[in-house]
Amino acid sequence: MRGEVMNNTLGTFIPNYNHGHLIERALSGVFDQELIPDQVIVYDDGSTDNSVEIVKRLQKKWPQITLIEGGKNIGGIHVSRKGMDLIQTRWINYLAADDAPASGIFAKAMAMADKYPDAGIIMGQMRITHEQTGAVKVTGVQGWDEPQYVSPDRFLNEYMRTHLPNHGLGSGTLWRKDALVECGGFRADLFSWCDTFAARAMALEYGAIYLPYPVVEKGYSETCYSHRMGRDMDVMLKVIDRGVQLMRSEQFRNLFPASYVYGWRRDYIKFLEQL
């Protein structure tokens, strides 16, 4: 779809598992926006708390919500893959049930999408609050201080080659649906690195829009999935091997230079050894 200007519709997809105590915060963040998404889907992944009852109550306030009760718990990555089929808009905002979009972000993001219709992703800073300590950290891309379109070459050389090998802004990313499907979506065998790989592949193909302010207000806990997986040496060595295999595959080898793949593997193993 390179060069083709389309209606930049936006859908929000929220996987939920036992976050009934936080889901209203996430949905309030969606519906308090200047630009309300065209689709809002909450997919409940077999919660055992009162999540479903809470979402049904919130549907009376926001009838735009579609609730899907998945029944058997299948895990966040598998639920997120379902979002590619269920969301029918050009752009997808994946929102964790314990996170909330930053104020006004959808209008800003779609304005940039109108300006740069070929971009594969829109990404920005994440404002992260540690749930145990209350400490707040804002993470983004160093040196990118203005809203901008970043070409594939700049994304590779100014971001991927200069930041830590595990650095990703998945929670602060909006995804162009056709490009996400094209790259294979979120791959379960990449565990917590699945969104980072997808974002890099899409940006290396189509370029990225970067917003130098928070896109999402994110909670963080040492018990969360990304923290646990990121510090499991056995899991992450499998992720590294699979990542190298993908980057060297016929589908992706023209996007990821061989020198980058070699350095990424070396640096990631060194990073894990220092944890």
Side-chain angles (χ1 to χ4, degrees), residues 202-228:
M202 293 163 68
L204 291 176
E205 178 70 31
Y206 296 103
I209 291 166
Y210 182 72
L211 306 176
Y213 32 75
V215 169
V216 67
E217 305 283 340
K218 180 174 181 59
Y220 181 80
S221 168
E222 293 180 2
T223 62
C224 71
Y225 177 78
S226 60
H227 181 90
R228 289 185 289 106

Side-chain angles (χ1 to χ4, degrees), residues 134-166:
V136 176
K137 177 178 72 172
V138 176
T139 183
V141 180
Q142 299 171 8
W144 292 353
D145 300 322
E146 300 291 336
Q148 60 189 289
Y149 169 79
V150 181
S151 69
D153 284 345
R154 285 188 61 204
F155 191 88
L156 172 66
N157 293 310
E158 296 179 23
Y159 172 55
M160 290 171 56
R161 290 190 187 276
T162 62
H163 288 65
L164 289 173
N166 67 325

Side-chain angles (χ1 to χ4, degrees), residues 118-134:
D118 288 340
I121 60 172
I122 303 169
M123 68 179 195
Q125 295 175 348
M126 302 188 301
R127 188 176 187 273
I128 304 170
T129 301
H130 196 291
E131 294 178 1
Q132 280 74 41
T133 67

